[in-house]
Amino acid sequence: MKIKTLLIEDIEIERKQLKEILQQNFKEIEIIGEAETIERAFFQIFTLRPDILFLDINLKDGSGFDLLQKCFEVGNIDFSVIFITGLTDKNFIIKALHLAALDFIFKPYDLERLTECVNRIKD
């Protein structure tokens, strides 16, 4: 079974890097969409119905937390979230965990860490 995945990252090179790592190493991950803004991500979440979001904390038009708040306001949240960030502020980690994030990954991406994360998704 494929895991429908949406990549939400505002920096194109980092989004492409994550996409390449996931496609080359995890055949169970199906990338169904990409977004760089809250508005684009919001639209894709409710039209594509992903199983999992790889969600950057800082986006061009707000934060990943803002996106989740917008999703919560309209109702049914039936996806899991893995936050990705280059920031090391512990407050972000606490907030992400409070929002029931499945995992939290720091940039630059580490294949071993991504493997742990994908294994958690599969479980």
Side-chain angles (χ1 to χ4, degrees):
M1 182 175 96
K2 294 283 189 177
I3 301 166
K4 297 186 303 182
T5 304
L6 182 59
L7 305 181
I8 305 167
E9 163 66 67
D10 62 330
I11 300 172
E12 183 178 6
I13 194 164
E14 291 183 8
R15 193 172 61 249
K16 285 182 178 183
Q17 180 186 27
L18 178 59
K19 180 178 182 177
E20 184 177 299
I21 291 169
L22 291 172
Q23 288 178 327
Q24 288 179 356
N25 296 283
F26 307 103
K27 301 304 177 206
E28 59 271 68
I29 297 286
E30 176 186 7
I31 299 170
I32 60 171
E34 301 176 36
E36 64 285 335
T37 64
I38 291 172
E39 290 304 316
R40 179 88 175 127
F42 184 77
F43 174 78
Q44 288 191 8
I45 287 168
F46 288 98
T47 57
L48 301 175
R49 299 289 184 190
D51 300 314
I52 191 86
L53 306 180
F54 279 85
L55 177 58
D56 192 11
I57 289 181
N58 287 324
L59 300 169
K60 291 180 181 179
D61 57 346
S63 74
F65 302 123
D66 296 334
L67 172 62
L68 291 180
Q69 182 61 41
K70 186 172 182 171
C71 290
F72 289 137
E73 289 171 2
V74 298
N76 202 10
I77 305 299
D78 56 355
F79 54 83
S80 296
V81 178
I82 297 169
F83 280 101
I84 54 177
T85 188
L87 305 171
T88 57
D89 187 336
K90 291 180 184 177
N91 290 326
F92 287 124
I93 298 170
I94 292 167
K95 189 170 185 176
L97 294 174
H98 179 71
L99 290 171
L102 183 61
D103 216 329
F104 199 96
I105 296 177
F106 291 103
K107 301 173 193 173
Y109 305 112
D110 175 71
L111 182 57
E112 183 177 325
R113 184 72 183 94
L114 278 168
T115 300
E116 291 172 11
C117 182
V118 170
N119 287 337
R120 289 186 72 192
I121 295 168
K122 291 190 300 188
D123 292 341

